[in-house]
Amino acid sequence: QVHLVESGGGSVQAGGSLRLSCAAAGVTSLDLLLNVKCMGWFRQAPGQEREGVAVICTGGGVPYVADSVKGRFTISRDSVKNTASLQMDSLKSEDTAMYYCATGTDLSTVVGGTGVRGQGIQVTVAS
């Protein structure tokens, strides 16, 4: 069974950078075609709706990056190691949220959190 381990995150001043990493364990060859085809993050701040941040899928294609973070966040993936990273630069206070690594068969599965998801990691940006 696939499970996700997140690392990185923490607190930073506005304008600073953080890097989130996510490692998928227990991945089978079938999972690579289905459950771990796409990897990414969504975030949720207290009292706010869940927001898809970035998603990257195997097989090519342009990664999805939310307009709110475009130009500041970069997602990358190592398909051999089954890991994904989210480099977050020029952080703003509005980026403060719990960030969840998630995997799934497509973009909607990842951002909707309906596939496999990690426990979440806090990112706090002080203004």
Side-chain angles (χ1 to χ4, degrees), residues 103-126:
T103 67
T105 55
D106 53 27
L107 170 64
S108 62
T109 305
V110 176
V111 301
T114 56
V116 181
R117 55 186 277 183
Q119 292 189 329
I121 194 163
Q122 180 67 37
V123 170
T124 301
V125 184

Side-chain angles (χ1 to χ4, degrees), residues 27-77:
V27 177
T28 66
S29 56
L30 183 60
D31 288 323
L32 290 174
L33 295 175
L34 298 172
N35 300 323
V36 192
K37 180 179 180 181
C38 297
M39 295 183 72
W41 278 266
F42 64 88
R43 66 186 182 185
Q44 189 160 23
Q48 296 188 22
E49 295 289 323
R50 180 177 55 237
E51 178 187 18
V53 177
V55 179
I56 186 167
C57 302
T58 58
V62 178
Y64 165 81
V65 180
D67 287 341
S68 59
V69 304
K70 196 165 292 183
R72 300 188 296 119
F73 290 14
T74 303
I75 187 170
S76 59
R77 177 173 182 168

